[in-house]
Amino acid sequence: MKKWILLICGTFLLVLSFWTLYYAYTPKVGPIGNGPNDKLVWFQSITQFVSGISALFLVFNLRKNNKIN
């Protein structure tokens, strides 16, 4: 059961990292404003991407060692 939760969370974080970049840089309707904060957008995206990759590596490593069924 743990491997499925980790697999779903890792996949969700990977998708969320790409969606964060897409949403931040798509044109919005309304006043122009200051635009996206590039440092914050890239920090969030990279953090989510690394977390997702780490979760997937953890799933495959634990599966290889047969620690979880």
Side-chain angles (χ1 to χ4, degrees):
M1 183 69 179
K2 290 180 188 178
K3 74 176 178 184
W4 293 110
I5 293 172
L6 280 173
L7 187 65
I8 290 169
C9 289
T11 306
F12 176 73
L13 283 170
L14 286 175
V15 169
L16 187 64
S17 69
F18 291 114
W19 183 80
T20 302
L21 283 175
Y22 173 75
Y23 183 74
Y25 292 111
T26 54
K28 310 286 190 294
V29 175
I32 295 174
N34 294 334
N37 184 354
D38 289 331
K39 290 180 183 178
L40 181 62
V41 169
W42 281 101
F43 177 75
Q44 286 177 341
S45 177
I46 290 172
T47 303
Q48 291 165 350
F49 185 78
V50 169
S51 298
I53 293 293
S54 298
L56 292 179
F57 277 135
L58 183 62
V59 167
F60 294 126
N61 189 20
L62 290 176
R63 186 174 177 210
K64 186 176 98 175
N65 293 334
N66 291 329
K67 302 246 182 204
I68 10 181
N69 296 324

